[in-house]
Amino acid sequence: MTTKTTLTLYELNCLVREVIECEMPNEYWVEAELSECRESRGHCYMELIQKDEQNATPVAKASAKCWTSKWMIVRPYFERTTGQQLHAGMKVLLKVYPQFHEAYGFSWIVTDIDPTYTLGDMARKRQEIIRQLKDEGIFDLQKDLHLPLFCQRIAVISSQTAAGYGDFCNQLSDNPYGFKFQTRLFPAIMQGEGVEQSIIAALERIFSEYSDFSDHSENTVPPFDCVVIIRGGGATSDMSGFDTLALAENVANFPLPIITGIGHDRDESILDMVSHTRVKTPTAAATLLIDHLKIVHDAINNAQESITLFTRQKLSTLNSQLSTLQEMLPKLFTIVKTRQEACIESLYMRILSCIRETVISSLGKINAFETRLPILTDRRLMTEKHRLQLMEEKAKNLDPTLLLQRGYSITTKNGKVVRYVEELQIGDDLETHLANGTVHSIVK
């Protein structure tokens, strides 16, 4: 029977540890993406992953640890340089050495993190988002909007407990000009992983109320004039939530002007870039709204003063013109009166002349008629006399007595001439007129 050499698991793991320590005694810089990053008892535990560039399929995975002695040095420097905390999805360049423990297995031990590598990756992602927004034609959409002249109804997206929100409201209510503003808070998470979805949800609630106003024409005043997104303080490392494509697209396409006051002096997020106006702090956002209304107020006052001055100047000019006319009116009246009298005199002379000419012409016509009238009268009398003689002869020829003398007779019934036999009935009383008398007869 052949004797086999066996090892315990502990002995085998010790061999692995010795091999790793002998064959890989150096530290290595490794590029990887964080799939998980968490702190526990001062240590940082990471899960590293590498994905295929074509289909994003994981091709390598490993665990990494940064012990508290190194983590307390590495983390502040990284966050101060990049402005962000280590989080899942971030690409990092780590300085590591291998460690195999008999009880806990293999892991990479992190001794340093290069923040410049992560900055480059972050900058690349930011530039890619900006490029996509510009390709979609929405990067500058907010810049085309205008703050309403009387921008006093403000929808605020902020954390309800944030000091910056209170500062913003106090700044508006205590403004030195006594302007009245109406603010309404739409609570949202302003730091951490839920920033993007929380702000987008708040924007959707604001848009829902604004669109309801647009759909009902009986409402004359919109519920909001603009939107203010503010963050009351917070670490610079929490700014990553404002550098997302989805949030930038929602803000860029929003129908109301959006003012942001979320950053610090040297930080400008993508959200700031696509918004209508970017200011540094919540109080600066309040100051912007107050100053905007002050400009409108001053413009109205200036317009009022200009109108008053113009009206006074116009009245002065008209009064001067009226005084001049009052002085000129008697002279003008005398001139007009003289001209009108001359015109009337001229018309009177022309009328007299026309009357004389008409009378003379009419007298000439009357004299001509007087000369022709006897001749025309005699001629008309002869004509009418001849026509009367012809009518007399015609009437004589139509005299019924002449017909009766020739042997004709006329029969009448009830005074009417009988022309047809059908007009007679038995018993009718007839009169027959002859040349020398009348005969009565009865039809049998």
Side-chain angles (χ1 to χ4, degrees), residues 22 73 96 101 155 167 181 203 209 246 248 259 289 324-325 371 400 417:
C22 291
I73 300 173
V96 299
H101 192 277
D167 294 340
F181 293 90
L203 287 172
E209 294 193 23
I259 301 170
L289 293 170
T324 303
L325 287 174
T371 304
V417 176

Side-chain angles (χ1 to χ4, degrees), residues 31-33 53 84 89-92 115-133 243 270:
E31 298 177 357
E33 179 180 329
E53 295 182 357
Q84 294 198 33
M90 178 181 285
K91 289 188 176 181
V92 291
T116 58
Y117 175 86
T118 303
L119 280 174
D121 183 66
M122 290 165 53
R124 180 189 60 78
K125 288 181 179 179
R126 280 168 56 92
Q127 291 302 318
E128 177 63 24
I129 292 174
I130 293 171
R131 182 197 62 78
Q132 186 169 345
L133 292 172
D243 284 332
I270 295 177

